[in-house]
Amino acid sequence: MPDFLRSNRRETIAVAVLVLLLALYLGTHPRGASTYVLTIWGNQCLILALAAAAQFFAVIVRGIDLSVGAIMALCNSLASHVLGGTGIDLFFGCLLVVGAGLLAGVVNGLFIVFGRIQPIVVTLATASVLVGLALILRPTPGGAIDYDLADAMTLDLGGVPSSLILGALVVVAFWLPLRRTGLGMGLYAVGSSEQAAFQSGINVRLIRIAAFGLAGVFAALAGLYFSFVTTTGDAGIAPNFTLNSIAAVVLGGVALRGGVGSLIGAMAGAFILKTIGALMFFSGLPPLAQPFVEGLILAGAISIGGADVLRVRNRLEVFGR
C-alpha cells in the first residue's frame, strides 16, 4: 500500500483534497448529502471532468489544446439539432456528435505532426474555425434534446447520480485498460522524451495524432453531456471551458511538461475546481467577488504548472553546460 501511494501520490493528493472539499460542501449545503444535491453537483463536475480528460491527452504528450472549449461548443450546437428524435435516431445522433469531435481532434493532430507547428498555435487557429461553425449551427442558444435521454444521463440510478456512474465507467472501462496498452504506454513515452520514444521504435507521429484524436473525442463527450444537462445548444460556451480544463489538469497533478499524471488526476482536478465554486456560492461571499476568487484560483493553478515546466527546463540547461 505505501508503494502504491508513493507511485500515485499526485492522484492520491488530488482525491484526498476532493474528499475534504466535498465533505465541507455537503456540510455547508442547506439540504446536506441528499441525492438531489449530489446529482446537481455531479452533473456540473462531470462536464468539466470530461473537458479536463480531453486536455489531459494533449498535455500528456507535451502539448496543449486551446480548442477543447470550441469542440465542446460545436458538438453541443450539433447535438441540439440531431438529438431531438427518438430511438435509433438518438443513437446515430450521438455517434455523429462524437465523430465530429474525433474529426476535429485528428485534424489538430495532423497539422501539428505534419505541419510541424506548435500545438498551442494550431489549436488556437482551429478553435476560431470551430466556434465559427458552432455559431453557424446555433447563432443564438436554443434547440432541443430528447428529455428522456437527458433524464437518463443526468438524474440518478438507485439513489446514485448517473453522472458519477458515467465518470466511474470512464475510469474503469476506458482509462485503466488503456494505460496498459501500447497506446497508453506510448503516450507517456512520447511525453517523457520524444527522442527516446522514437529510438525505442515507437511511432511518435501516430501517438501524437491519436492523443489529439482522443482529446477531440472527450471534448465532444463534454459538449454532449452539457447538452444533456441544459437540453439546449449554445455556441458561446468555449472560452470558459478551455481555461478551466487547463487549470483542472494542473490541480489534478498532471505536469504541463508532459509524461506525468493520469486521467484520474485530471478528472479529480475538475471535481475540485467545481466544488470550490460551489463552496463559494454557499459561503456568503458576495456574488461580485466570486469571479475574482475563481480567477485567482485558475491563475494560481496554471502558474504552478508553468513554474513546473520552467523548473525542469532550467535544470536541463544546467546539466547541458
Side-chain angles (χ1 to χ4, degrees):
M1 191 65 175
D3 291 337
F4 174 81
L5 293 177
R6 272 197 299 272
S7 61
N8 297 277
R9 76 177 179 282
R10 289 171 177 256
E11 294 83 357
T12 302
I13 292 171
V15 171
V17 170
L18 173 59
V19 170
L20 179 63
L21 289 172
L22 179 58
L24 187 59
Y25 169 63
L26 294 177
T28 305
H29 199 288
R31 298 184 64 168
S34 65
T35 299
Y36 173 80
V37 171
L38 286 172
T39 298
I40 299 299
W41 169 79
N43 287 344
Q44 295 300 317
C45 288
L46 184 60
I47 296 171
L48 182 56
L50 292 171
Q55 194 65 248
F56 163 78
F57 283 107
V59 169
I60 201 67
V61 292
R62 293 194 179 189
I64 197 163
D65 193 341
L66 297 184
S67 68
V68 166
I71 295 174
M72 284 183 63
L74 174 62
C75 292
N76 171 238
S77 299
L78 180 60
S80 68
H81 284 281
V82 301
L83 295 183
T86 56
I88 195 69
D89 292 335
L90 292 176
F91 174 75
F92 284 112
C94 288
L95 285 183
L96 179 63
V97 171
V98 175
L102 173 61
L103 177 61
V106 170
V107 168
N108 280 338
L110 290 172
F111 274 115
I112 291 165
V113 169
F114 294 104
R116 297 185 180 181
I117 308 171
Q118 288 296 319
I120 193 171
V121 176
V122 170
T123 55
L124 180 61
T126 57
S128 298
V129 175
L130 295 171
V131 169
L133 291 174
L135 286 168
I136 292 172
L137 285 172
R138 188 60 64 191
T140 57
I145 305 295
D146 180 73
Y147 286 109
D148 291 333
L149 176 61
D151 286 347
M153 294 295 174
T154 60
L155 294 182
D156 65 278
L157 184 63
V160 180
S162 299
S163 55
L164 300 185
I165 296 173
L166 292 172
L169 282 174
V170 169
V171 172
V172 175
F174 173 77
W175 172 244
L176 294 182
L178 176 69
R179 68 181 303 173
R180 293 178 173 83
T181 64
L183 174 59
M185 291 184 285
L187 292 170
Y188 283 97
V190 171
S192 299
S193 174
E194 190 171 315
Q195 183 177 359
F198 176 76
Q199 292 174 344
S200 300
I202 293 174
N203 190 331
V204 174
R205 287 181 171 181
L206 183 60
I207 293 293
R208 288 179 71 83
I209 293 171
F212 280 89
L214 286 169
V217 167
F218 275 91
L221 290 173
L224 187 60
Y225 199 75
F226 187 92
S227 305
F228 295 147
V229 173
T230 63
T231 66
T232 58
D234 184 356
I237 65 175
N240 185 47
F241 280 104
T242 297
L243 181 60
N244 280 313
S245 70
I246 298 170
V249 297
V250 175
L251 285 174
V254 181
L256 292 181
R257 68 178 184 272
V260 176
S262 76
L263 188 71
I264 297 171
M267 295 180 71
F271 274 73
I272 289 171
L273 205 54
K274 278 298 182 181
T275 307
I276 291 173
L279 270 170
M280 285 193 296
F281 182 79
F282 291 102
S283 66
L285 190 70
L288 293 177
Q290 291 178 18
F292 172 73
V293 176
E294 287 182 351
L296 288 178
I297 294 169
L298 291 174
I302 294 172
S303 296
I304 291 170
D308 185 43
V309 173
L310 289 175
R311 186 168 58 251
V312 171
R313 286 180 177 174
N314 291 337
R315 190 183 304 140
L316 291 172
E317 288 173 2
V318 170
F319 290 149
R321 291 177 181 171

